[in-house]
Coordinates of all heavy atoms in Angstrom, one line a residue:
L9 N 30.2 2.3 26.7 CA 29.7 1.1 26.0 C 28.3 1.4 25.5 O 27.5 2.1 26.1 CB 29.8 -0.2 26.8 CG 31.2 -0.7 27.1 CD1 31.1 -2.0 27.9 CD2 32.0 -0.9 25.9
K18 N 16.8 -3.7 17.4 CA 16.2 -2.4 17.5 C 14.8 -2.3 16.8 O 13.8 -1.8 17.3 CB 17.2 -1.4 16.9 CG 16.6 -0.1 16.5 CD 16.7 0.9 17.6 CE 16.2 2.3 17.2 NZ 15.0 2.8 17.8
K19 N 14.8 -3.0 15.6 CA 13.5 -3.0 14.9 C 12.4 -3.7 15.7 O 11.3 -3.2 15.8 CB 13.8 -3.8 13.6 CG 12.6 -3.9 12.6 CD 13.1 -4.4 11.3 CE 11.9 -4.7 10.3 NZ 11.2 -5.9 10.7
S25 N 7.2 -1.3 21.4 CA 7.3 -0.2 22.3 C 6.0 0.3 22.9 O 5.9 1.0 23.8 CB 8.1 0.9 21.7 OG 7.4 1.4 20.6
L32 N 8.3 -6.3 29.5 CA 9.7 -6.9 29.7 C 10.7 -5.7 29.8 O 10.9 -5.0 28.8 CB 10.0 -7.7 28.5 CG 11.4 -8.3 28.4 CD1 11.6 -9.3 29.5 CD2 11.7 -8.9 27.1
A34 N 14.3 -5.1 29.7 CA 15.4 -5.9 29.1 C 16.6 -5.1 28.7 O 16.6 -3.8 28.6 CB 14.8 -6.6 27.8
I55 N 10.8 -2.8 27.2 CA 11.3 -1.5 27.8 C 12.8 -1.7 27.9 O 13.3 -2.5 28.7 CB 10.7 -1.2 29.1 CG1 9.2 -1.1 29.0 CG2 11.3 0.0 29.8 CD1 8.4 -1.0 30.3
P59 N 21.8 0.1 31.3 CA 22.3 -0.4 32.6 C 23.0 0.8 33.4 O 23.3 0.6 34.6 CB 23.3 -1.5 32.3 CG 23.3 -1.6 30.8 CD 22.4 -0.5 30.2
D102 N 5.5 -20.1 30.0 CA 5.0 -21.3 29.5 C 3.7 -21.7 30.3 O 2.7 -22.2 29.7 CB 6.0 -22.4 29.7 CG 6.1 -23.3 28.5 OD1 5.8 -22.9 27.4 OD2 6.6 -24.5 28.7
S131 N 23.2 -23.3 32.5 CA 23.3 -22.0 33.3 C 24.5 -22.0 34.3 O 25.2 -21.0 34.5 CB 22.0 -21.7 34.1 OG 21.0 -21.5 33.2
S151 N 44.4 -22.9 27.6 CA 44.2 -24.2 27.1 C 43.4 -25.0 28.2 O 42.6 -25.9 27.8 CB 45.4 -24.9 26.6 OG 46.4 -24.8 27.5
A153 N 41.2 -23.7 30.3 CA 39.8 -23.3 30.3 C 39.1 -23.7 29.0 O 37.9 -24.0 29.0 CB 39.8 -21.7 30.4
L158 N 35.0 -27.1 26.5 CA 34.7 -28.1 25.5 C 34.1 -29.4 26.1 O 33.2 -30.0 25.6 CB 35.8 -28.5 24.5 CG 36.3 -27.3 23.6 CD1 37.3 -27.9 22.6 CD2 35.2 -26.6 22.9
L161 N 30.5 -28.7 26.8 CA 29.7 -28.7 25.6 C 29.5 -30.2 25.1 O 28.4 -30.6 24.7 CB 30.4 -28.0 24.4 CG 30.5 -26.5 24.5 CD1 31.1 -25.9 23.2 CD2 29.2 -25.8 24.9
G177 N 14.8 -32.8 20.5 CA 14.2 -33.4 19.3 C 13.8 -32.3 18.3 O 14.6 -31.4 18.0
F180 N 12.1 -26.6 19.3 CA 13.0 -25.6 19.9 C 12.4 -25.3 21.3 O 11.3 -24.8 21.4 CB 13.0 -24.4 19.0 CG 13.8 -23.2 19.5 CD1 15.2 -23.3 19.6 CD2 13.2 -22.0 19.8 CE1 15.9 -22.2 20.0 CE2 13.9 -20.9 20.2 CZ 15.3 -21.1 20.3
P183 N 15.9 -26.1 26.9 CA 17.4 -26.3 26.9 C 18.1 -25.7 25.7 O 19.3 -25.5 25.8 CB 17.5 -27.9 26.8 CG 16.1 -28.3 27.3 CD 15.1 -27.3 26.9
E198 N 37.2 -17.0 18.5 CA 38.0 -16.9 17.3 C 38.7 -15.5 17.4 O 39.9 -15.3 17.0 CB 37.2 -17.0 16.0 CG 36.3 -18.2 15.9 CD 37.0 -19.5 16.1 OE1 38.1 -19.6 15.7 OE2 36.4 -20.5 16.6
R221 N 27.0 -33.9 16.0 CA 25.7 -33.6 16.6 C 25.6 -32.1 17.2 O 24.6 -31.4 17.0 CB 25.4 -34.6 17.8 CG 24.1 -34.4 18.5 CD 22.9 -34.6 17.6 NE 21.6 -34.3 18.3 CZ 21.0 -33.1 18.2 NH1 21.5 -32.1 17.5 NH2 19.8 -32.9 18.8

Side-chain angles (χ1 to χ4, degrees):
L9 293 181
K18 160 91 173 111
K19 185 169 172 282
S25 59
L32 174 68
I55 302 175
D102 223 26
S131 295
S151 48
L158 294 191
L161 293 187
F180 176 66
E198 311 302 329
R221 179 66 186 92

